[in-house]
Amino acid sequence: MALGGGMANAQELSNLRQKTILLKKDTTKLDTLSISPASLKIKFKNGEAVGDSAYSILPAQSFLIWNGPLPSDSLDVLYRTLSFDFSKPYQKRDSTMIQPEADYFMAPNTYRPNSEESPIFGSTQLDKTGSISRGVGVGNAQDLNVNSSLSLQLNGKLTDSISVLASITDDNIPIQPQGNTAQLQEFDQVYIQLFDSKSKLTAGDFFLKKPVGYFTSYYKRGQGASFSTKLPFKDSSKKFFTETSLAVSRGKFAREIIQGVEGNQGPYRLRGNEGERFIVILAGTERVFIDGREMERGQENDYIIDYNTAEITFTAKQLINKDKRIGVEYQYTAASYVRTMAQTSTGIETEKYTAYVNFYSEQDAKNQSLQQDLDDSDRQILASVGDNLNNAIAPSFAEIDEFNNDQILYTLTDSLGYDSVFVRANQNSPNFFRINFSEVGQGNGDYIQEGFDANGRVFTWVVPDTVGGQILRNGNFAPVRQLISPKRSQMLMGGIDYRFSERTKAKIEGGFSNNDVNTFSEID
């Protein structure tokens, strides 16, 4: 049994082949492997051997080629196969790795198999740089927290004609850059830009700058989309150009005049348009002027700025005194409403003239307030005051049902002949009010800040003076809140710039502007 099994396996592993074939054409493939030409024996059915002149063989491809008329009867073929098909190519390494000598970037004799994975950005002309970080924080006064940050910069070509420039960040701790360098880097913004030789499309953070023209002057930072192009007319020297943007404003524009202090280089704190004390300046939006001349940011230049605290400090290059005229233009983030911007600058340019139309609109969405909750009575107050925003005052107190030791509460009473006076309440007071006091300026209020306790600031009513029948207030706080009105600014300008010669040209421009400081009101 064992001997018989061993003989069967040996026969199966043998390279000896014996076949009976009937030739139907002059070329016949004998086997899938190459054959040994010396082992080939061919006989007719009657046992007569076939002479070598009757056929030829291609041993590598194992082809039998019959010379002359085909035999009518079948043939017995005996041959041995080789271990390989010698008609196929065999190689240890891929020949596509061979590089010209001028293109060597690595050791040419080191074998590195080609990766089958395609890159995320398939173009080999796209440069990718960036970083990703993870952080874990824990303390004796806080729970475990995880912080993450991603920064990615791309630039290069997507196709033969379209290029890309992008800065993408994802940071759960948004920190503004320091304002002590002369230039801010591109990755201080988040955007993606696609462009070719004629057009450019930007999405994300971008700056709206002064277009062609005289009156339409602005420098705003927004978040949205902007498209610009310059296209030539067919068979003409004329060119059509346009720049159109739609964005959400990153902040409000403000301009402040700072009174310099003799020998004090700073810091000088900036405030908002509505008197906000604590604001954050949008990075790169500030423009600082001294005596009408624009200053340059940087420690080695004229000034540095802390965007998070809105403070400007001047360097030794610009000595500050009481006679310096300091003006600062900037955008800050204390936006009370969702503010949208729309801009377009469109025209035609030739060798002789440039004609253009500019439109700019920036307005608050009055039904989408961010930092204040307006009810119907607040809207009625804003509608009735017109442009006199100092009168847009609403009460800032609310009556509650019961006393609470964790809050500073007041009770409404009469005092010294004056009614409706708020004084500190206790458990036995007849009524309880929760009040938010606002600073209204010295002589405009009836309350002063008396001090602090564990629950916050404490305010006390002060008796007003009466002189000549007029009441003179002695406080600087009041139980009111200043209502912030939604605003709208628009400009529509058109003009033409005509060139008579290389040294002579004429320009004319005109248009309309609209500035509404209270869109709730039709007055003023």
Side-chain angles (χ1 to χ4, degrees), residues 258 264-270 304 306 309-314:
I258 298 176
N264 184 9
Q265 297 296 110
Y268 292 93
R269 172 164 289 186
L270 303 175
I304 59 175
D306 190 328
T309 61
E311 292 179 336
I312 292 181
T313 303
F314 294 93

Side-chain angles (χ1 to χ4, degrees), residues 98-131:
I98 301 175
Q99 297 176 328
E101 184 177 359
D103 294 339
Y104 280 156
F105 295 102
M106 58 184 67
N109 296 324
T110 302
Y111 176 64
R112 293 178 175 87
N114 293 331
S115 174
E116 297 296 333
E117 298 181 1
S118 60
I120 298 177
F121 305 99
S123 173
T124 57
Q125 303 182 56
L126 197 62
D127 295 330
K128 292 88 67 176
T129 60
S131 64

Side-chain angles (χ1 to χ4, degrees), residues 430-488:
N431 47 49
F432 307 103
F433 288 86
R434 183 187 299 113
I435 303 176
N436 291 322
F437 288 91
S438 300
E439 187 174 5
V440 293
Q442 185 61 39
N444 296 322
D446 294 315
Y447 298 84
I448 61 172
Q449 182 178 332
E450 187 179 34
F452 294 87
D453 67 8
N455 296 323
R457 297 187 297 175
V458 179
F459 295 89
T460 303
W461 179 74
V462 291
V463 183
D465 296 328
T466 302
V467 178
Q470 293 185 349
I471 298 177
L472 301 180
R473 303 179 187 274
N474 293 318
N476 59 338
F477 284 88
V480 297
R481 57 191 176 96
Q482 178 73 46
L483 299 179
I484 307 301
S485 64
K487 301 172 177 57
R488 179 193 296 129

Side-chain angles (χ1 to χ4, degrees), residues 397-415:
F397 54 85
E399 188 173 5
I400 61 177
D401 296 332
E402 59 184 14
F403 185 79
N404 189 343
N405 287 322
D406 296 331
Q407 297 178 354
I408 299 177
L409 301 178
Y410 296 84
T411 183
L412 189 62
T413 184
D414 297 337
S415 180

Side-chain angles (χ1 to χ4, degrees), residues 250-295:
R250 293 291 302 274
K252 297 173 63 176
F253 175 81
R255 188 175 192 275
E256 185 173 349
I257 302 300
I258 298 176
Q259 179 61 50
V261 178
E262 194 76 32
N264 184 9
Q265 297 296 110
Y268 292 93
R269 172 164 289 186
L270 303 175
R271 295 194 177 190
N273 285 331
E274 314 296 338
E276 302 97 329
R277 287 187 172 187
F278 305 103
I279 60 176
V280 176
I281 305 296
L282 293 181
T285 61
E286 85 284 352
R287 300 176 67 190
V288 181
F289 300 88
I290 295 181
D291 295 336
R293 186 169 60 90
E294 185 172 0
M295 300 291 101

Side-chain angles (χ1 to χ4, degrees), residues 206-211 217-222 225-226 243-247 331 341-344 360-361:
F206 58 90
F207 284 93
L208 291 178
K209 301 180 181 179
K210 175 181 171 64
S217 181
Y218 47 80
Y219 185 76
K220 302 284 291 183
R221 184 171 182 175
S226 177
E243 179 182 0
T244 302
S245 305
L246 294 174
Q331 280 184 263
M341 296 187 299
Q343 170 268 339
T344 184
Y360 176 83
S361 176

Side-chain angles (χ1 to χ4, degrees), residues 7 97 100 109 120 145 152 162 167 258 300-301 305 360-361 388 397 402 436 495 497 513 517:
M7 293 178 63
M97 296 189 304
N109 296 324
I120 298 177
N145 64 85
L152 176 64
I162 300 178
S167 175
I258 298 176
E300 70 281 7
N301 297 318
I305 181 172
Y360 176 83
S361 176
N388 191 4
F397 54 85
E402 59 184 14
N436 291 322
D497 186 354
S513 65
V517 298

